[in-house]
Amino acid sequence: MLRILNSYGALLLRAMGQTLLLALSGLFFACILGMIFGILSVLKNKACNIIAQIFVDVIRGVPMIVLAYFIYFGLPYGLNTLAGMNVTLSALQAGTICLALNCGAYMAEIIRAGIQSVDIGQMEAARSLGLPYWRAMQRVVLPQAIRTMIPSIINQFIITLKDTSILSVIGFPELVNTAKNVVANTFMSFQTWIIVGIMYLIIITILSRLAKMLERRLNRGRF
Amino acid sequence: MKKMMAMLLTGVMISSMALPVLAEDEAKHFTIATDTVFKPFEYTDTNGDFVGIDVDILAAIAEDQGFTYDLNSLGWDSAIAACQAKQADGMIAGASITDERKESGWIFSDGYFNATQSMTVKDDSDIAGFEDLEGKTVGVKTGTQGASYAESLKDEYGFEITYFEDSPTMYQAVVGGQVVSCFEDTPIMASSIQDGGLPLKVLEDTANDGAPYGFAVFNEEGQELIDLFNAGLADIVENGTYEEIVAKYLGEDTAAASAAAMKGDAE
Amino acid sequence: MADSNPNIKIHVSHLKKNFGKLEVLKDISLDITEGEVVVIIGPSGSGKSTFLRCMNQLEEVTDGEITVDGNLITDPKVDINKVRERVGMVFQHFNLFNNMNVLRNLMLAPVDLKKADKAQAEKNAMEMLRKVGMEDKAQAYPAQLSGGQKQRVAIARALCMNPDIMLFDEPTSALDPEMVGEVLQVMKQLAADGMTMVIVTHEIGFAREVADRVIFMDGGYIVEQGPPLELINNPKEARTIDFLNKVL
């Protein structure tokens, strides 16, 4: 174990950084996508609801590893041959898209459920005062919805962080991809995986604590 | 009969992982782990049979030395872990014999195949040699000698490496332009390009000196199996079985050269 | 129509409302004049709440016309938000914004819709809270208030937009009996101040005391209407008699 840390410690730390980078950039866009599709699914507009439903169903119905291959290889191929463009996606770009889509679909469901958990009377009261729909959403409904969403969102963040490991298949040098290399070079499987497991545990514990602190702050003195 | 048994047991799943019971008067029985796809050393052919140079060599040696075995196609990473966990007695998966692996306590057999590694690019690529790689990204397969070769050149020529977990994905990445080239065992690359009709070309003059593949066990407890393997390997090289097997997958020329090299090593 | 009498605040003509296949309002016509206090009674399912909610377009109407303050609100081209600013609404379940304290509940709409700057809005909000006897709870959150207190805050919130018309949708139905009085007291005060009010309620006593007109609805129609003493003490229609016998 010490030998691995000596020879590959720096490499594994860098891989941990790459894991975090990928997770954070994926989550950032996932939040945006989740917000858009979550709100589309609660609008009083059939077309919007259907678009959101299709997005969620398609993404949830495809395993992320399939999505990863499709985006990394299929998407540039499609754009280049069909649209005559000249696109290559880096593993980071493809990985970010993949995580954003995957996590975004689950976020959309969390956001939809969160908004729908807010009593309809809150929206009606705001509208009855003359507030436009979006204002009412922004000032009254979303702040309440977000509080009920937070535990699920934290949970989804952690799942997404762990899902970055799936992107080792497209060669992104995150922890699992790098660990497989270390195993191949040293033939020391258990030791490497123990180290990697502990690294994930550390990141996720820190993130969970931060999230809990945030949750407490948001809940202070309300309700 | 023994051969038939070995064939029958080939490919049995991990569920039958009971430690082998060794009785003096019975044939010895081992569990051997291997990769899933490492063409042409192990792969599933169009008939659904698990075949390859590793598979055939192991069968020939087992027959020669009179032992039986289960061959489990676990995948590269899991094969390593299985040996460590004593769920397998040894692995044969086109594993190069390296000092770093030996330092971890693994014991390798004599080399049973000597492959050179070389670089492959898209057939219409401008890249003609390592000098053209500066600032570019190349693909390698995790744990292969091609990966080590690329790593040894990386700093000198200033390129980046992306690690893939299987060869098809790596080839696809070269075809799709995600990486500009890949490093792979020369005969494997050549046969893959031919079999798959891939729009790739091997740059012959990028080949290195090569490194031998060995059968591996986790520690000295596996020495008996290593001894059996080495003895059997020497026999099948001597009696021509080895050359037949290699010829079946890589053609007469490679087989003859390879067999000659093996005989040379033995002396 | 509405223009013929400048005192008409709400004009309803042949209003129909369906929920899917269910016809909730079948053919309703009604005029409400300035300063009038109209109480709507009727059995549950009679459509009275739906009718009230049509008056500020919380329910889209299926057919017919509603004019409020001279604006034809059933016309999709009319900016309904502008009309709603002048039409306060009080709900059965209060619907105070749970994420804000009382003061911010009152200030949200005036500040957000630029009816007042913050200082003005706060001053006005405190005045409205005094009016309903809730000024000492300005910093409390809705969850810390009793039902009666919540409803008084809700009325103050509606008043902060300085409305011409107030709609009350069963304002005391969700309250414990001992809290009904405090809310009705505030409503009586409003009526005395000359506010135009439309109230859906089961409080027959309140109707008798405060209303200028009582409307009895059943089955999506207005069955009978008239001054409270007349309608309550001397109903003519069989359905009205039947209903009043049950509730009195």
Side-chain angles (χ1 to χ4, degrees):
Chain A
M1 194 113 82
L2 274 177
R3 213 186 92 209
I4 294 176
L5 285 176
N6 273 337
S7 327
Y8 294 101
L11 190 69
L12 286 171
L13 271 181
R14 199 165 66 214
M16 184 161 116
Q18 293 290 311
T19 292
L20 271 176
L21 171 70
L22 179 62
L24 292 178
S25 61
L27 283 171
F28 175 76
F29 291 106
C31 286
I32 295 173
L33 280 180
M35 206 63 166
I36 293 171
F37 286 102
I39 286 175
L40 280 182
S41 66
V42 296
L43 287 180
K44 272 194 196 161
N45 180 318
K46 272 271 178 309
C48 292
N49 300 162
I50 289 170
I51 290 169
Q53 194 58 48
I54 289 174
F55 171 73
V56 169
D57 285 350
V58 167
I59 300 296
R60 282 207 305 199
V62 177
M64 201 165 92
I65 192 162
V66 176
L67 197 63
Y69 282 126
F70 175 77
I71 290 168
Y72 191 50
F73 295 121
L75 196 63
Y77 178 80
L79 288 175
N80 296 347
T81 51
L82 299 178
M85 295 160 79
N86 188 14
V87 185
T88 50
L89 285 176
S90 72
L92 177 61
Q93 289 165 334
T96 299
I97 295 173
C98 188
L99 281 180
L101 287 174
N102 190 65
C103 178
Y106 289 97
M107 290 280 286
E109 281 295 278
I110 292 170
I111 287 167
R112 180 190 59 75
I115 291 173
Q116 286 175 347
S117 77
V118 177
D119 184 55
I120 181 93
Q122 296 284 311
M123 174 58 94
E124 288 185 346
R127 297 304 309 275
S128 79
L129 289 165
L131 289 179
Y133 180 85
W134 287 112
R135 262 316 158 70
M137 200 54 141
Q138 183 192 338
R139 298 287 168 140
V140 176
V141 177
L142 285 181
Q144 297 183 53
I146 283 168
R147 278 227 296 286
T148 64
M149 293 173 206
I150 278 180
S152 314
I153 291 178
I154 292 171
N155 199 30
Q156 188 56 47
F157 277 17
I158 290 171
I159 291 170
T160 300
L161 186 84
K162 293 200 268 191
D163 277 353
T164 55
S165 61
I166 294 171
L167 298 165
S168 70
V169 298
I170 57 169
F172 185 76
E174 48 68 63
L175 262 177
V176 167
N177 181 280
T178 305
K180 284 184 176 175
N181 249 320
V182 174
V183 171
N185 286 346
T186 61
F187 268 39
M188 293 172 87
S189 184
F190 293 164
Q191 296 88 332
T192 309
W193 291 119
I194 287 170
I195 292 169
V196 167
I198 290 171
M199 288 173 101
Y200 272 113
L201 200 59
I202 290 170
I203 307 176
I204 287 168
T205 308
I206 291 172
L207 285 186
S208 309
R209 285 288 139 81
L210 282 176
K212 276 268 179 290
M213 272 166 56
L214 180 76
E215 194 181 348
R216 265 201 296 277
R217 273 189 59 160
L218 275 168
N219 277 331
R220 206 160 46 194
R222 304 281 178 77
F223 279 51
Chain B
M1 183 63 202
K2 275 183 211 147
K3 185 172 180 183
M4 259 186 72
M5 224 173 130
M7 296 293 272
L8 277 173
L9 292 169
T10 299
V12 170
M13 287 307 296
I14 199 164
S15 56
S16 60
M17 273 289 183
L19 285 172
V21 182
L22 298 179
E24 296 274 323
D25 53 345
E26 275 179 43
K28 290 189 167 56
H29 185 85
F30 299 98
T31 303
I32 313 289
T34 185
D35 202 349
T36 44
V37 186
F38 186 53
K39 230 175 158 181
F41 288 87
E42 48 265 339
Y43 62 99
T44 305
D45 69 11
T46 46
N47 298 324
D49 298 323
F50 193 65
V51 297
I53 295 175
D54 284 348
V55 179
D56 289 3
I57 285 181
L58 183 63
I61 290 174
E63 189 189 13
D64 183 76
Q65 294 295 310
F67 64 84
T68 58
Y69 63 93
D70 291 331
L71 184 63
N72 289 321
S73 167
L74 300 177
W76 172 258
D77 306 305
S78 303
I80 296 169
C83 291
Q84 247 183 312
K86 306 223 162 48
Q87 290 189 316
D89 301 302
M91 69 182 272
I92 182 161
S96 300
I97 303 166
T98 69
D99 289 341
E100 194 175 10
R101 288 167 182 175
K102 285 194 215 162
E103 274 169 36
S104 304
W106 286 72
I107 298 170
F108 284 86
S109 69
D110 299 334
Y112 63 82
F113 186 82
N114 200 349
T116 63
Q117 285 77 38
S118 52
M119 185 165 82
T120 294
V121 296
K122 220 173 157 178
D123 55 6
D124 58 358
S125 173
D126 299 333
I127 289 168
F130 299 138
E131 300 76 24
D132 301 327
L133 290 177
E134 181 147 13
K136 303 241 170 30
T137 301
V138 307
V140 301
K141 192 186 145 191
T142 301
T144 57
Q145 208 51 33
S148 309
Y149 185 32
E151 282 161 6
S152 72
L153 300 166
K154 178 178 185 254
D155 291 336
E156 187 183 344
Y157 294 101
F159 57 84
E160 296 292 322
I161 299 175
T162 292
Y163 293 87
F164 294 98
E165 288 172 17
D166 58 284
S167 299
T169 306
M170 177 171 76
Y171 303 156
Q172 184 60 53
V174 181
V175 174
Q178 281 82 6
V179 295
V180 296
S181 67
C182 65
F183 286 68
E184 177 79 289
D185 291 7
T186 318
I188 295 170
M189 194 69 235
S191 89
S192 295
I193 291 173
Q194 202 180 354
D195 294 354
L198 299 171
L200 300 174
K201 63 178 178 199
V202 178
L203 300 177
E204 298 288 354
D205 49 2
T206 59
N208 65 357
D209 297 336
Y213 289 162
F215 176 85
V217 298
F218 176 55
N219 59 20
E220 58 280 354
E221 284 172 35
Q223 190 63 50
E224 184 196 10
L225 185 52
I226 291 289
D227 293 342
L228 288 171
F229 189 92
N230 283 341
L233 180 62
D235 287 349
I236 64 167
V237 169
E238 203 55 48
N239 68 21
T241 312
Y242 173 85
E243 193 173 335
E244 272 172 42
I245 291 170
V246 176
K248 193 166 131 197
Y249 294 97
L250 291 173
E252 302 288 346
D253 296 349
T254 312
S258 187
M262 296 284 292
K263 281 175 184 160
D265 283 353
E267 278 157 19
Chain C
M1 297 202 317
D3 304 323
S4 61
N5 183 348
N7 288 332
I8 289 182
K9 297 295 274 186
I10 301 175
H11 170 75
V12 180
S13 150
H14 301 294
L15 173 65
K16 291 189 182 66
K17 169 69 182 171
N18 301 344
F19 287 114
K21 284 196 181 122
L22 182 70
E23 294 183 319
V24 180
L25 301 177
K26 286 167 185 162
D27 183 8
I28 296 204
S29 295
L30 183 72
D31 284 329
I32 295 171
T33 54
E34 188 167 0
E36 197 177 11
V37 176
V38 175
V39 169
I40 304 175
I41 58 173
S44 49
S46 60
K48 55 194 193 303
S49 280
T50 304
F51 179 33
L52 191 78
R53 288 160 59 85
C54 285
M55 290 183 206
N56 67 351
Q57 287 285 283
L58 280 184
E59 301 294 350
E60 276 177 43
V61 308
T62 308
D63 196 17
E65 288 184 344
I66 301 176
T67 309
V68 173
D69 262 347
N71 301 295
L72 184 64
I73 62 168
T74 43
D75 178 353
K77 286 193 288 273
V78 169
D79 181 0
I80 188 64
N81 292 327
K82 281 273 168 261
V83 179
R84 282 174 178 157
E85 288 174 9
R86 314 287 296 161
V87 181
M89 183 148 189
V90 175
F91 299 85
Q92 179 178 359
H93 295 288
F94 331 123
N95 296 347
L96 294 183
F97 306 137
N98 295 318
N99 55 324
M100 303 174 190
N101 66 19
V102 166
L103 190 60
R104 286 182 51 222
N105 258 276
L106 268 64
M107 290 168 60
L108 175 71
V111 172
D112 240 50
L113 297 170
K114 303 203 168 23
K115 297 288 154 196
D117 63 32
K118 272 206 167 140
Q120 263 178 300
E122 184 170 345
K123 189 162 157 276
N124 191 33
M126 289 309 295
E127 198 182 314
M128 292 306 154
L129 285 176
R130 249 191 305 283
K131 204 164 172 174
V132 300
M134 290 293 296
E135 68 271 35
D136 55 332
K137 295 285 188 188
Q139 300 303 325
Y141 276 86
Q144 299 164 313
L145 303 178
S146 74
Q149 290 174 323
K150 282 184 199 171
Q151 199 59 299
R152 284 188 282 152
V153 170
I155 294 170
R157 179 175 67 182
L159 291 176
C160 279
M161 290 300 286
N162 194 23
D164 293 340
I165 300 167
M166 286 283 284
L167 308 176
F168 293 83
D169 188 5
E170 305 201 25
T172 57
S173 296
L175 296 178
D176 291 336
E178 74 270 22
M179 292 171 182
V180 171
E182 62 188 77
V183 172
L184 293 182
Q185 191 52 47
V186 170
M187 290 167 64
K188 271 180 211 169
Q189 184 57 48
L190 265 181
D193 293 347
M195 177 69 73
T196 308
M197 294 163 73
V198 185
I199 305 162
V200 171
T201 187
H202 296 294
E203 297 289 334
I204 304 294
F206 174 81
R208 198 176 352 220
E209 198 179 334
V210 181
D212 297 311
R213 182 161 39 140
V214 176
I215 291 172
F216 174 70
M217 278 182 71
D218 190 20
Y221 293 104
I222 292 177
V223 175
E224 188 172 358
Q225 54 177 309
L229 291 176
E230 201 173 298
L231 187 124
I232 294 167
N233 296 344
N234 209 358
K236 292 177 182 59
E237 298 288 329
R239 279 190 284 178
T240 321
I241 296 166
D242 191 39
F243 174 75
L244 286 170
N245 279 340
K246 278 182 194 148
V247 297
L248 281 176

